[in-house]
Amino acid sequence: MLLLYLPILVVVVFSFNANTTRTATMTFTGFSLQWYKNLFDPISGFGVHLVTSLEVAFWSVLFSCVMGTIGAVGLLHRKKQKSLSGRSLERFINFGEQAAMLPIMIPELIMGIALLALFSFLRLPMGKITLVIAHTSFCIPYILITVKSRLSTLDPSIEEAARDLGASPIRAFLTVTLPLAAPAVLSGCLLAFAMSMDDFVISFFVNGAETTTLPLKVYSSVKVGVTPQVNALCTVMLGAAFLLVAMGQLLSSARGKEKKI
Amino acid sequence: MTDKQPLLSLRSLSKSYETQEALRGVDLDVYAGEFLTLLGPSGCGKTTTLRLIAGLETPDGGEVYLEGKNITNLPPEKREVNTVFQNYALFPHMNVQKNIAYGLRMRGVDKKTIDEKVNHMLSLVQLEGYGKRMPSQLSGGQRQRVAIARSAVLEPKILLLDEPLGALDLQLRRQMQIELKNMQKRLGITFIYITHDQEEALNMSDRIALMREGKFVQIDTPHTLYERPSTVFAATFIGETNLLKGVVSSIEEDELMLDVDGASVPAKTVDWVIPGQKVNLCIRAERLHYSRKQKACQTLSGVMRGSRYTGSVRTAILELTNGQTLISRRTTEGDEDIASGEPVCIWWDTDTACLVRDDGEEQA
């Protein structure tokens, strides 16, 4: 625990440092909020990059949410149909399921290089589009996993009941399955959002000149030494991360209550 | 009933799952207004039959007719039958009112009519004032009633119930059995009901379809099924039964004689026996009498092997001279305390016993 939280504590403490010299990260001279003010400075601040990051995260979460949810539903529905002729198909789908997890498994570095190679092969200009595509590709598994595990705990007869009561397959999905899976979709999205905001390695390969995301900016600014400004930024991001975790917890506890039925 | 057109007909319906044949070409006619029970041990194909009627499964062969129309390939939402699922399958994210209104909403019924019908339904299942509760706030019996209300509000031609009382405790079960039966009468809807509980089936049904290994063994009224089971399985699955194996020695107008390991036993004649045939004589435990042996016995003699007194009834285990044990269960009125090991005479009224066919697969 100490090992985990001590560095975080150091960052938080030094973000309030009043010392303005190069050695700001080493000696604490007084309390100040100047670095936080500095953060949002239009020229030297991180505002633009935050916006870029948020934009990329928003779109990739949106795309991966739709694709991941559809994927999860498809995977589970296929599994239920166990006809003999569907055997080879089923095997293929199991394989597909494993393949969908690949972005989590393989090293980010390789993923980044692979995407870079793909984009240059397709002659796609590096920029927001490539970033969104890249982020979507590694966000999908997170949503797929959370939604699928939620759906598999749902009683299949609930959807059958909806069909039985006169709902078409699509309406049954929209009125019954989706609302029940919604907490999982949302927590998957939060996770994906956090992953997208955090990502450095893959973004490093596929970003363009105008699309430096926040982590990339942080990296480039610490090349010249860790400034208190970065500390302040880290503290803000930490706060945001804690907030997300707390939201996720709330969601899953709400889910837990529902499960008791 | 046979001259009426059946409401629902199954024609040589079959269904297999990956490794197992669940249903092997069954035929069934269900008539309007009746309470039909599918009874059988688990895995006999009851639920499969129900799911095929509901349209939740597609058959491998055969057809389903509703009022003479072939509905075999109709999806569940287009069939005028509704299901009450075993675990109720209430929508956990909707309150009772919304659960019941769901089917009407899907049909595009206007809001005012929906409210009227839902309220009427709530009072019918005695859940007034529960409309705003969530399913998780209801007891098992209440959920069950909501599930029935949710299906019945659509006024289906047939209501399919898959062991709806399975999850309830015994007392509530008994109470719900009566309530369900009353509800069926009030609603005037045909019920097809699944259970593996023979007592429940006998209690509630107009007719019982006894199933085994994907086939119907016998479809009859509870009375006929109990009094005149057609096979060994039917005889042993329902009620407590003694089976005597014997060979037909002589056949007369209404009585025939059986040779049971040397002893001559009379039985009522049925049309399918021939002399020399091996048959089973079914005698219900509560119709088997015995008394302390005083002189030579008229029918069978045996030895008392122990008995249990349980207030209203006494259950006795009697051993025949050929080693077979029989169970007798009779009221304790005029009860005679016979010690274990004492010789006894065993008899029964010939009319209460019946010959049953061997289905070749007797239960051990």
Side-chain angles (χ1 to χ4, degrees):
Chain A
M1 282 296 270
L2 197 71
L3 206 66
L4 198 64
Y5 286 105
L6 198 62
I8 293 175
L9 198 70
V10 169
V11 164
V12 175
V13 168
F14 275 95
S15 72
F16 296 108
N17 197 350
N19 195 336
T20 51
T21 61
R22 256 294 152 96
T23 55
T25 39
M26 267 70 87
T27 42
F28 194 84
T29 50
F31 182 83
S32 155
L33 282 174
Q34 56 169 311
W35 303 115
Y36 287 89
K37 233 193 284 164
N38 199 308
L39 263 188
F40 298 102
D41 187 281
I43 301 145
S44 64
F46 290 85
V48 197
H49 309 293
L50 180 66
V51 170
T52 311
S53 262
L54 283 174
E55 235 176 294
V56 169
F58 174 78
W59 289 110
S60 28
V61 166
L62 189 73
F63 290 140
S64 54
C65 166
V66 172
M67 288 194 252
T69 306
I70 290 173
V73 171
L75 281 174
L76 281 174
H77 264 259
R78 265 273 152 240
K79 282 230 168 123
K80 268 185 245 153
Q81 299 170 355
K82 280 186 183 145
S83 62
L84 276 169
S85 58
R87 270 276 182 76
S88 56
L89 184 69
E90 199 185 318
R91 210 169 294 155
F92 174 74
I93 284 174
N94 278 337
F95 172 75
E97 195 179 341
Q98 298 301 319
M101 300 300 150
L102 212 59
I104 297 185
M105 251 92 87
I106 60 170
E108 283 192 307
L109 200 64
I110 294 172
M111 179 90 178
I113 291 169
L115 283 164
L116 178 65
L118 175 74
F119 294 144
S120 24
F121 174 73
L122 294 174
R123 294 185 199 290
L124 266 177
M126 297 301 158
K128 260 182 206 145
I129 294 173
T130 52
L131 271 173
V132 169
I133 294 173
H135 282 213
T136 304
S137 71
F138 71 76
C139 282
I140 286 177
Y142 293 102
I143 290 171
L144 195 71
I145 290 172
T146 46
V147 176
K148 213 183 117 225
S149 70
R150 167 64 172 161
L151 285 179
S152 61
T153 63
L154 285 184
D155 182 356
S157 58
I158 289 180
E159 201 175 310
E160 281 176 356
R163 292 290 306 281
D164 187 70
L165 293 166
S168 64
I170 292 169
R171 282 192 91 177
F173 174 75
L174 289 178
T175 54
V176 174
T177 314
L178 197 59
L180 288 174
V185 175
L186 211 62
S187 66
C189 283
L190 284 180
L191 198 61
F193 182 77
M195 293 322 274
S196 170
M197 286 297 283
D198 276 0
D199 180 71
F200 169 73
V201 181
I202 293 172
S203 311
F204 182 74
F205 285 98
V206 297
N207 81 314
E210 301 297 310
T211 54
T212 310
T213 62
L214 206 52
L216 290 174
K217 176 65 186 164
V218 171
Y219 176 73
S220 65
S221 51
V222 294
K223 270 197 224 162
V224 288
V226 181
T227 63
Q229 196 185 14
V230 171
N231 283 343
L233 177 69
C234 290
T235 309
V236 170
M237 287 178 79
L238 262 172
F242 275 128
L243 212 69
L244 281 183
V245 170
M247 271 168 77
Q249 282 291 333
L250 275 175
L251 277 175
S252 59
S253 72
R255 231 191 306 169
K257 254 181 243 154
E258 212 177 86
K259 242 183 226 168
K260 273 184 217 146
I261 299 161
Chain B
M1 267 193 179
T2 40
D3 47 313
K4 274 198 284 178
Q5 194 200 333
L7 177 64
L8 177 87
S9 304
L10 309 182
R11 290 286 168 265
S12 50
L13 208 58
S14 63
K15 174 78 185 171
S16 305
Y17 295 110
E18 216 159 324
T19 50
Q20 178 201 2
E21 244 186 313
L23 219 54
R24 313 171 181 216
V26 298
D27 293 286
L28 177 70
D29 285 325
V30 184
Y31 297 93
E34 85 172 318
F35 194 122
L36 180 95
T37 300
L38 303 180
L39 176 68
S42 48
C44 70
K46 301 173 300 226
T47 301
T48 305
T49 310
L50 208 69
R51 290 175 64 84
L52 285 170
I53 298 172
L56 297 168
E57 305 273 356
T58 39
D60 297 334
E63 291 97 42
V64 182
Y65 294 93
L66 185 66
E67 291 183 319
K69 276 184 302 234
N70 189 339
I71 59 162
T72 317
N73 296 315
L74 231 51
E77 62 267 25
K78 300 236 166 71
R79 298 189 184 199
E80 285 174 280
V81 295
N82 288 114
T83 310
V84 176
F85 290 83
Q86 192 165 12
N87 45 6
Y88 319 138
L90 296 178
F91 306 130
H93 59 300
M94 297 181 193
N95 64 24
V96 169
Q97 213 160 21
K98 286 194 175 132
N99 261 286
I100 299 177
Y102 187 86
L104 296 169
R105 242 176 59 216
M106 290 301 129
R107 287 190 180 178
V109 177
D110 66 280
K111 196 160 177 328
K112 204 170 144 258
T113 323
I114 290 182
D115 286 346
E116 267 168 30
K117 286 197 172 181
V118 169
N119 285 332
H120 176 67
M121 215 60 223
L122 278 173
S123 69
L124 211 57
V125 295
Q126 286 150 25
L127 283 174
E128 293 113 321
Y130 284 84
K132 292 277 177 275
R133 300 251 189 128
M134 296 307 276
S136 56
Q137 296 167 302
L138 299 177
S139 71
Q142 290 168 338
R143 277 181 219 174
Q144 213 258 326
R145 280 181 286 185
V146 174
I148 292 171
R150 185 178 69 173
S151 297
V153 77
L154 295 173
E155 291 158 21
K157 297 259 159 60
I158 301 171
L159 195 60
L160 308 167
L161 300 102
D162 188 358
E163 297 207 31
L165 307 182
L168 307 179
D169 58 69
L170 191 66
Q171 217 172 352
L172 195 56
R173 266 179 101 111
R174 293 243 164 91
Q175 195 189 324
M176 286 302 294
Q177 282 174 13
I178 300 165
E179 227 172 276
L180 263 180
K181 183 78 189 161
N182 289 337
M183 215 183 284
Q184 190 240 349
K185 280 186 195 145
R186 267 190 312 230
L187 295 166
I189 299 175
T190 308
F191 274 35
I192 298 179
Y193 187 93
I194 283 190
T195 183
H196 61 256
D197 181 341
Q198 41 137 326
E199 194 194 309
E200 201 169 285
L202 292 170
N203 242 337
M204 304 167 78
S205 326
D206 293 323
R207 284 197 304 155
I208 296 172
L210 185 64
M211 289 190 84
R212 184 192 196 191
E213 288 170 3
K215 279 197 169 278
F216 288 121
V217 176
Q218 190 173 2
I219 307 172
D220 260 316
T221 60
H223 187 264
T224 315
L225 200 61
Y226 192 77
E227 299 295 332
R228 294 278 172 264
S230 63
T231 69
V232 170
F233 175 73
T236 49
F237 190 78
I238 299 169
E240 213 163 354
T241 304
N242 296 296
L243 285 175
L244 286 176
K245 284 181 172 300
V247 177
V248 180
S249 51
S250 68
I251 304 180
E252 311 232 328
E253 192 81 8
D254 6 274
E255 213 172 74
L256 55 74
M257 293 308 278
L258 285 178
D259 179 31
V260 179
D261 282 320
S264 257
V265 174
K268 273 179 86 169
T269 308
V270 285
D271 52 11
W272 47 267
V273 287
I274 48 163
Q277 190 178 353
K278 282 185 186 167
V279 290
N280 301 283
L281 184 65
C282 152
I283 311 145
R284 298 293 182 188
E286 73 278 7
R287 291 168 192 176
L288 190 76
H289 304 287
Y290 62 93
S291 65
R292 191 175 275 124
K293 188 173 184 176
Q294 263 136 8
K295 44 187 187 212
C297 299
Q298 285 199 330
T299 341
L300 290 170
S301 55
V303 177
M304 171 66 88
R305 278 289 168 242
S307 73
R308 197 154 43 91
Y309 174 83
T310 49
S312 60
V313 291
R314 180 186 285 279
T315 310
I317 296 166
L318 312 163
E319 190 180 304
L320 294 180
T321 39
N322 67 3
Q324 192 188 349
T325 55
L326 300 178
I327 295 170
S328 162
R329 184 187 295 274
R330 52 180 212 181
T331 61
T332 43
E333 191 186 350
D335 192 31
E336 229 183 328
D337 196 18
I338 299 174
S340 183
E342 271 193 73
V344 289
C345 279
I346 301 163
W347 77 92
W348 59 91
D349 187 345
T350 311
D351 282 344
T352 63
C354 66
L355 290 175
V356 293
R357 265 180 244 255
D358 214 331
D359 47 14
E361 299 156 313
E362 271 195 59
Q363 286 181 327

